[in-house]
């Protein structure tokens, strides 16, 4: 068993840290939280679903009626309505007398997780809920989550989910037990412009070194005036940039476990070199999500890194002149995984019934309805292989990266590290104030202090 990441804390301190972490792990694609109106509508729909399902349960004499209370958030009114449709379909078709009652709560910058923690510590009767991995250590260390390992091991569709996904769930819980059920993910990949690649005479990179070469060659003065018109890569040097940056560190064989190794330092040096050599926009040190997307859409950069949340806007801008590839392997390989999962609480009196519901979301009709309706990447391998996803070049790049995707270590220092330590320290390294070695030592000390 691995040592748990967080010690038990006082209720007030735990909730404050959880809310801060939650605010940083919300989707970066620009989605807004559900409105109060949407939540009220969802409550009405949930009541109607419960009433309809109750009448169906009464008619089902083959199974004892069970009600599962499920809390979730939805990023917009369409997603809210979709979840209610999925709940209604499960209630109608599960054939086991199980009625899921969905209760929607807004994400509210991470307050969703804080409120959920308060409710469960106060004895609230919520059976299961949608989830972010950052909340896992706190809930596990307060004995609030059910160990799903025996249910998953006995599940007929266990192998429909990649082992790497299960390993990430274990990592979040700090042990070999699985407390979190996979649902859908967002995998970072590299956007590129085929027309710029053609003009630069480069092919889609298949190795990390080829990727670095493509960045260099795609940095071009296209009109001969002596000024750069296209930069090879859109670097995110501001908050949130630690995720694409992590791929460079792992590309040289480094890792987050020890950022002071020669391999990790070499990856940092690559990151510094593409800045100092002028292969990224001069504003890269302060560029965040909005800037890297705007620079790519304007044609200022040939490549940048994000996920399917921005793909519709890319196609609207470029049509067929935009595509994607999974971050290629070097001495190592890694890309960042955004996550949304489900959990069952230890207090749930009908865990088998609750697992029927969360497994339906993970590898059943619920998985299909949600991922096709939202554009998120499914965790079900059989669903990934269907035409809906295989005919989408951005989904294909996401799916290819799933087997080596990962997350930052979830520690009680992570929130501050992401918000302050990483952008400030990397800015100093990019601008020559500190060396790659000094940068990585500071990052190591900040995360593992």
């Amino acid at each position: 068993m691995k040592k748990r990441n967080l010690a038990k804390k006082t209720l007030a301190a735990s909730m404050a840290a959880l809310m801060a972490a939650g605010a940083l792990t919300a989707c970066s694609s620009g989605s807004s939280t559900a409105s109060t109106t949407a939540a009220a509508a969802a409550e009405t729909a949930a009541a109607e679903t419960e009433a309809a399902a109750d009448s169906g349960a009464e008619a089902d004499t083959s199974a004892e009626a069970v009600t599962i209370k499920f809390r979730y958030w939805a990023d917009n009114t369409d997603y809210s309505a979709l979840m209610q449709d999925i709940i209604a379909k499960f209630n109608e078709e599960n054939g086991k007398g199980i009625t899921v009652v969905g209760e929607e709560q807004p994400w509210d910058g991470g307050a969703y997780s804080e409120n959920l923690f308060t409710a469960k510590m106060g004895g609230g009767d919520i059976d299961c809920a949608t989830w972010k991995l950052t909340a896992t250590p706190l809930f596990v260390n307060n004995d609030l989550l059910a160990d799903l390992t025996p249910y998953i091991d006995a599940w007929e569709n266990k192998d429909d989910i990649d082992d790497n996904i299960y390993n990430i769930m274990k990592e979040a819980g700090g042990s070999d037990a699985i407390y979190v059920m996979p649902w859908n993910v967002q995998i970072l990949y590299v956007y590129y412009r085929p027309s710029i690649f053609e003009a630069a005479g480069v092919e889609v990179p298949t190795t990390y070194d080829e990727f670095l070469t493509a960045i260099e060659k795609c940095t071009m003065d296209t009109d001969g005036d002596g000024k750069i018109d296209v930069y090879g890569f859109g670097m995110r040097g501001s908050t949130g940039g630690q995720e694409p940056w992590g791929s460079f560190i792992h590309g040289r064989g480094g890792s987050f476990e020890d950022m002071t190794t020669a391999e990790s330092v070499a990856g940092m040096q690559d990151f510094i070199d593409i800045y100092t050599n002028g292969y990224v926009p001069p504003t890269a040190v302060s560029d965040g999500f909005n800037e890297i997307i705007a620079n790519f859409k304007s044609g200022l950069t040939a490549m940048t890194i994000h996920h399917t949340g921005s793909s519709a806007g890319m196609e609207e801008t470029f049509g067929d002149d935009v595509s994607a590839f999974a971050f290629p392997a070097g001495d190592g390989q890694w890309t960042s995984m955004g996550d949304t999962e489900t959990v069952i609480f230890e207090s749930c009196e009908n865990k088998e019934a609750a697992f029927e519901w969360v497994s339906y979301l993970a590898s059943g009709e619920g998985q299909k309805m949600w991922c096709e309706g939202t554009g998120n990447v499914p965790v079900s391998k059989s669903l990934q292989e269907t035409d809906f996803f295989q005919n989408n070049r951005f989904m294909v790049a996401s799916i290819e990266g799933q087997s080596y995707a990962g997350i930052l270590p979830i520690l009680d220092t992570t929130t501050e590290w992401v918000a302050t330590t990483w952008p400030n320290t990397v800015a100093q390294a990019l601008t020559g104030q500190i060396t790659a070695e000094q940068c990585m030592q500071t990052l190591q000390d900040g995360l593992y202090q």
Side-chain angles (χ1 to χ4, degrees):
M1 300 280 283
K2 291 169 59 180
K3 184 178 180 181
R4 290 178 176 174
N5 291 326
L6 297 177
K8 290 191 177 182
K9 302 180 179 183
T10 63
L11 180 62
S14 297
M15 290 193 300
L18 181 59
M19 185 172 182
L24 286 167
T25 56
C27 176
S28 59
S29 62
S31 298
S32 61
T33 56
S35 65
T36 303
T37 301
E43 289 176 5
T44 302
E48 295 172 350
T49 298
E50 180 179 8
D54 280 345
S55 64
E58 291 172 359
D60 184 357
T61 59
S62 63
E64 183 178 353
V66 174
T67 297
I68 297 297
K69 295 185 178 180
F70 172 62
R71 180 174 289 188
Y72 67 96
W73 79 85
D75 286 339
N76 54 55
T77 54
D78 289 340
Y79 291 6
S80 175
L82 176 58
M83 178 54 75
Q84 287 298 324
D85 288 344
I86 295 170
I87 290 171
K89 188 173 182 64
F90 175 83
N91 289 344
E92 180 182 354
E93 298 179 354
N94 72 79
K96 298 182 179 181
I98 303 170
T99 298
V100 173
V101 178
E103 175 194 63
E104 181 176 340
Q105 293 289 320
W107 174 252
D108 194 18
Y112 169 92
S113 298
E114 176 195 10
N115 294 336
L116 189 58
F117 182 75
T118 302
K120 294 310 298 180
M121 289 297 289
D125 61 353
I126 305 158
D127 295 306
C128 51
T130 54
W131 198 250
K132 283 290 186 184
L133 287 176
T134 49
T136 309
L138 176 61
F139 280 69
V140 167
N141 288 315
N142 282 278
D143 302 317
L144 295 176
L145 299 185
D147 180 0
L148 303 183
T149 311
Y151 301 97
I152 292 173
D153 285 344
W155 182 36
E156 62 181 1
N157 291 330
K158 176 184 178 181
D159 293 339
D160 196 35
I161 296 176
D162 194 285
D163 284 342
N164 182 52
I165 301 297
Y166 289 127
N167 289 335
I168 293 171
M169 304 299 107
K170 293 177 183 178
E171 179 183 344
S175 75
D176 289 331
I178 302 175
Y179 293 98
V180 182
M181 188 69 177
W183 180 22
N184 61 93
V185 295
Q186 291 178 323
I187 308 294
L188 294 192
Y189 51 69
V190 184
Y191 280 112
Y192 76 99
R193 295 283 306 285
S195 62
I196 296 177
F197 270 35
E198 183 178 0
V202 299
E203 302 291 334
V204 173
T206 59
T207 68
Y208 176 67
D209 284 335
E210 288 178 0
F211 174 61
L212 295 178
T213 299
I215 290 175
E216 177 183 356
K217 289 187 175 181
C218 286
T219 302
M220 297 181 291
D221 170 14
T222 58
D223 58 11
D225 66 353
K227 298 179 181 179
I228 298 298
D229 302 302
V230 178
Y231 293 93
F233 181 63
M235 175 185 287
R236 184 172 178 173
S238 187
T239 305
Q242 76 282 345
E243 294 179 338
W245 165 86
S247 294
F248 289 82
I249 304 309
H250 286 76
R252 287 297 184 204
S255 72
F256 297 131
E257 284 66 36
D258 187 351
M259 290 177 277
T260 67
T261 65
E263 293 81 5
S264 295
V265 171
M268 184 66 227
Q269 191 62 56
D270 289 339
F271 204 68
I272 293 171
D273 288 346
I274 64 174
Y275 177 82
T276 57
N277 288 334
Y279 303 152
V280 301
T283 58
V285 171
S286 59
D287 283 349
F289 169 74
N290 290 331
E291 289 76 21
I292 64 166
I293 298 301
N295 287 342
F296 186 79
K297 285 185 174 182
S298 71
L300 184 64
T301 57
M303 291 179 277
T304 199
I305 294 177
H306 199 238
H307 55 62
T308 54
S310 56
S311 62
M314 295 299 186
E315 287 190 306
E316 182 179 348
T317 299
F318 296 115
D320 291 335
D321 191 22
V322 60
S323 195
F325 58 89
F327 199 96
D331 294 326
Q333 190 174 24
W334 184 89
T335 192
S336 179
M337 186 192 85
D339 66 286
T340 311
E341 301 84 17
T342 56
V343 292
I344 298 173
F345 296 105
E346 181 60 34
S347 61
C348 176
E349 295 180 356
N350 297 287
K351 293 183 178 65
E352 292 82 1
F355 188 77
E356 288 285 339
W357 165 239
V358 298
S359 63
Y360 180 80
L361 291 177
S363 185
E365 183 65 15
Q367 168 90 164
K368 180 177 186 293
M369 291 174 67
W370 183 260
C371 292
E372 289 187 358
T374 63
N376 286 322
V377 182
V379 295
S380 165
K381 291 188 286 188
S382 58
L383 185 60
Q384 291 171 2
E385 294 169 358
T386 62
D387 288 346
F388 184 91
F389 296 98
Q390 289 298 313
N391 290 338
N392 183 315
R393 55 196 181 277
F394 308 111
M395 282 289 177
V396 170
S398 300
I399 292 166
E400 185 178 339
Q402 180 181 266
S403 63
Y404 55 86
I407 59 173
L408 286 170
I410 303 175
L411 307 171
D412 53 3
T413 56
T414 302
T415 299
E416 178 66 19
W417 190 88
V418 167
T420 303
T421 306
W422 187 88
N424 290 346
T425 306
V426 169
Q428 289 179 305
L430 294 178
T431 55
Q433 299 174 57
I434 58 175
T435 65
E437 289 85 355
Q438 291 170 324
C439 174
M440 298 304 273
Q441 185 67 61
T442 300
L443 294 177
Q444 179 76 14
D445 293 343
L447 190 59
Y448 295 100
Q449 62 185 341

